[in-house]
Amino acid sequence: MQSAAQSLMWQKICKQVTRHIRTMFKVNGVISDLTDSSLQSSFTTVLEAFVTKKYLATTSIVPTPCGWDGPVLRVELLYNASRFPLTVTLGSGIGRDCGHAYAAAGAMGVVFTDIDLVNAQLASEQSKAFATNQFYRTIALAVDVSSEKSVDSMVEKAVEVFGRIDYAVSSAGIGVQHPAEVADTDIAEFEAFFNVNVKGSLLFVKAVSKVMKKQEPRSCLGRTGIRDLGRGTIISIASCNSFVPTLGIVQYTSAKHALMGITKNAALDNAPYGIRVNAVCPSWVETPMMDRAFDGTPGLREKFSKAVPMGRIALQEEVSDVVIFLIELGPPGPLTTFPAPGLRDIQRNVTTHNEAGKGVFLPPDNGTHQSVMVNGGALSNILYQTTGWPVDMNGEKDVKWSEKTSPGLMSPNGSLVRIIDFAPNVASPPHRALTLGYGCVLEGVLEFELDSGEIRTMRRGDVSVNRATVHTWRNVTPLDEQGGLARMLYVLLPIEPLKIGPEGKEVEQELGYLARSYPVDYPELVEEGGKGESREK
């Protein structure tokens, strides 16, 4: 716990931050005193949510370096003010490894894109083994970076789905197939390099710059106060050949010099709009392209290794780590223990009868079945559960069953009472529980959205009756109200099989990644790497 002096100091910091935010963004309110656990999580996350008041999305395109035998593309998307990033990446070499690195670093999702859809699908499937975020999902797309229509369509789709583009990484490229001295240069290959490596990069930087110029800037809390993050960041995957030539590959050297020119000019043109443009320039890297070169040229690996002071060429993940650093991947969700910092603890009061038949209370507590959900995006507290109907209370059977039974989403043939604390700006996936669910907002403001697109905004005391519909809960509580946290009370009851639609199709339960938060119901997800983050007392 904080000392009185620490608490006072933290209040002063919060007030100072609030003044900055009021001045810069013309919003009102105060940020309440926060506990140690909140300090240990991510106050930066809270501030970013306070600034944006909506989901953050970032996009980046990262095609593979030289050696790939076709145009490739990667788009990156960071999603959610809680900094669960969603990444879109390409299918091979450094680009593929960047996508896997994002998955390992806690990305909420990765979209792999390549001119060859099969390669993108393979990289997408492989990424599941690295994913650490319970939000994680991945898809594969085919994209041709040499086509302006294809690139524009991809960027438009990113904005349509995620709202904005905060980060972009451009590394479209093909590899040298016919190395030769300049007198014997293959002009057709030279033109192909400029069509993909140069034109492809320019098309993407152009399309992303248009989007970034129109979107609102972002900010975060730095060491000396509020720091402006601008409207976005673009990173080019260039090469040491952007500065020095290599014998026999004039097409590659020229293309990389041109890419550096695009990067420098884009940096100047975009600077007034708060858009940063930089480049990463590796030399030789362990990629499939380099493996083919080593296999075809005896002694080439040893030659390259001797030219590098460390005695070896770089690993893909060493380049990916630099890209991850420049993209500013943030921490996962901020909630770790119930109650969420900033919300009051609850007291559960359960009654029974004494020997004289008079009503008495059992010892008070705050619940015995608590767990962290969706990687810290929410906290669950099961206050009571029953089995069988009517409930058998003789001999305290119901009390004993509720305490000893590890709860799932729903109690079989009974009832369940659950409180959920929501992190700032968090949203559930669209999901359907086969229950009759009564909900009541206890703290904050939440949007209750149905798959039809209808939305109801619910405030303290408002009630929902969810009859097994596909729905999304979205915490839209302003950050100046209990730090943006929200709390809901749910009572769930089982239902008979439900048939809907003109054909009377029986519906199934659809939880998406929320299923990992219920290891009792879905033990196979725990075995596959999901975490049953129970906090049993």
Side-chain angles (χ1 to χ4, degrees):
M1 295 297 292
Q2 292 175 297
S3 67
Q6 289 174 324
S7 179
L8 180 60
M9 181 179 295
W10 188 239
Q11 289 180 24
K12 290 181 178 179
I13 293 174
C14 290
K15 290 178 180 179
Q16 180 181 6
V17 169
T18 303
R19 285 196 298 271
H20 278 290
I21 294 174
R22 283 173 174 167
T23 301
M24 295 175 64
F25 303 99
K26 298 181 181 179
V27 297
N28 297 315
V30 297
I31 301 175
S32 60
D33 180 28
L34 303 175
T35 64
D36 281 341
S37 60
S38 178
L39 285 168
Q40 294 166 2
S41 58
S42 177
F43 189 49
T44 300
T45 292
V46 176
L47 287 174
E48 288 182 340
F50 190 69
V51 169
T52 62
K53 301 218 174 180
K54 61 182 180 180
Y55 302 107
L56 304 179
T58 67
T59 304
S60 97
I61 301 281
V62 180
T64 51
C66 67
W68 187 241
D69 53 7
V72 289
L73 185 64
R74 175 171 127 221
V75 182
E76 253 191 16
L77 300 156
L78 292 186
Y79 176 71
N80 195 301
S82 295
R83 302 302 298 276
F84 295 113
L86 177 62
T87 305
V88 185
T89 186
L90 60 156
S92 179
I94 294 175
R96 178 185 61 188
D97 194 75
C98 284
H100 294 168
Y102 278 115
M108 192 176 76
V110 179
V111 179
F112 289 82
T113 70
D114 194 285
I115 195 169
D116 185 339
L117 182 58
V118 174
N119 286 327
Q121 290 171 333
L122 176 61
S124 174
E125 188 63 27
Q126 291 172 337
S127 70
K128 296 177 182 178
F130 302 103
T132 59
N133 194 320
Q134 288 190 5
F135 281 102
Y136 188 75
R137 60 188 177 97
T138 177
I139 63 172
L141 299 172
V143 181
D144 180 359
V145 295
S146 66
S147 165
E148 184 171 12
K149 181 178 179 181
S150 181
V151 173
D152 286 348
S153 176
M154 181 275 302
V155 172
E156 289 170 4
K157 185 65 175 178
V159 176
E160 175 188 339
V161 175
F162 298 104
R164 59 183 285 142
I165 299 175
D166 287 321
Y167 306 106
V169 180
S170 173
S171 63
I174 58 176
V176 175
Q177 302 298 316
H178 306 290
E181 294 181 358
V182 67
D184 300 314
T185 298
D186 186 323
I187 298 302
E189 185 175 24
F190 186 90
E191 291 175 342
F193 259 81
F194 266 76
N195 192 41
V196 176
N197 295 33
V198 181
K199 176 185 173 184
S201 297
L202 176 60
L203 289 177
F204 176 66
V205 172
K206 174 185 175 183
V208 170
S209 296
K210 285 183 178 179
V211 171
M212 289 183 174
K213 286 170 63 175
K214 297 176 182 178
Q215 62 196 21
E216 293 298 317
R218 289 175 52 215
S219 297
C220 72
L221 178 63
R223 288 184 294 275
T224 57
I226 299 296
R227 189 179 76 194
D228 181 20
L229 296 178
R231 288 181 169 84
T233 300
I234 300 173
I235 301 170
S236 298
I237 302 298
S239 166
C240 63
N241 283 91
S242 297
F243 303 97
V244 296
T246 297
L247 181 68
I249 56 170
V250 65
Q251 58 272 63
Y252 182 73
T253 300
S254 299
K256 288 301 181 180
H257 272 67
L259 176 57
M260 185 57 70
I262 292 172
T263 301
K264 291 178 178 180
N265 229 99
L268 287 175
D269 293 343
N270 283 326
Y273 304 100
I275 302 170
R276 294 186 295 114
V277 185
N278 295 283
V280 175
C281 302
S283 59
W284 301 297
V285 182
E286 292 278 9
T287 63
M289 177 276 296
M290 291 304 302
D291 289 339
R292 291 194 294 271
F294 293 149
D295 292 341
T297 309
L300 184 62
R301 177 183 290 275
E302 291 73 18
K303 179 180 179 180
F304 282 179
S305 297
K306 289 180 180 178
V308 178
M310 290 185 67
R312 65 170 178 83
I313 64 176
L315 303 176
Q316 293 179 43
E317 61 187 73
E318 291 174 322
V319 180
S320 301
D321 286 347
V322 176
V323 173
I324 292 286
F325 168 75
L326 291 173
I327 293 300
E328 293 187 294
L329 263 176
L335 304 184
T336 56
T337 58
F338 187 90
L343 296 181
R344 64 176 294 273
D345 202 354
I346 61 143
Q347 178 172 295
R348 182 177 66 162
N349 302 293
V350 181
T351 67
T352 187
H353 297 88
N354 60 18
E355 294 180 356
K358 301 294 185 179
V360 294
F361 289 109
L362 294 174
D365 59 29
N366 69 346
T368 55
H369 298 294
Q370 300 173 3
S371 62
V372 178
M373 303 176 67
V374 292
N375 204 29
L379 302 169
S380 173
N381 187 355
I382 308 300
L383 298 181
Y384 209 73
Q385 55 181 338
T386 65
T387 184
W389 193 263
V391 178
D392 186 356
M393 296 192 296
N394 293 293
E396 313 283 63
K397 288 181 181 179
D398 61 314
V399 175
K400 296 174 183 177
W401 189 88
S402 179
E403 295 303 292
K404 73 178 183 180
T405 304
S406 295
L409 170 66
M410 177 59 206
S411 178
N413 302 315
S415 64
L416 183 143
V417 182
R418 171 185 284 114
I419 279 183
I420 292 183
D421 286 357
F422 294 85
N425 279 5
V426 74
S428 73
H431 62 286
R432 184 202 309 273
L434 293 182
T435 64
L436 174 61
Y438 304 117
C440 181
V441 178
L442 302 182
E443 301 286 350
V445 184
L446 293 107
E447 288 183 347
F448 182 27
E449 180 176 357
L450 305 182
D451 57 355
S452 65
E454 290 188 73
I455 300 176
R456 296 286 171 85
T457 300
M458 296 178 55
R459 294 174 173 79
R460 184 183 300 176
D462 288 343
V463 173
S464 63
V465 180
N466 188 359
R467 303 174 60 251
T469 55
V470 176
H471 64 289
T472 294
W473 287 105
R474 183 175 297 108
N475 181 11
V476 294
T477 308
L479 264 292
D480 55 354
E481 297 179 14
Q482 68 268 346
L485 299 165
R487 173 175 288 173
M488 284 280 295
L489 172 69
Y490 298 95
V491 178
L492 303 182
L493 300 175
I495 62 173
E496 295 287 343
L498 176 63
K499 297 181 179 180
I500 61 175
E503 299 179 0
K505 181 180 179 181
E506 184 173 324
V507 300
E508 298 180 352
Q509 187 153 278
E510 308 168 30
L511 297 185
Y513 59 74
L514 286 180
R516 293 187 180 182
S517 296
Y518 302 103
V520 172
D521 299 331
Y522 301 93
E524 70 278 5
L525 295 182
V526 177
E527 295 172 1
E528 293 175 1
K531 297 181 180 180
E533 302 170 279
S534 176
R535 298 291 187 273
E536 304 288 330
K537 293 185 177 180

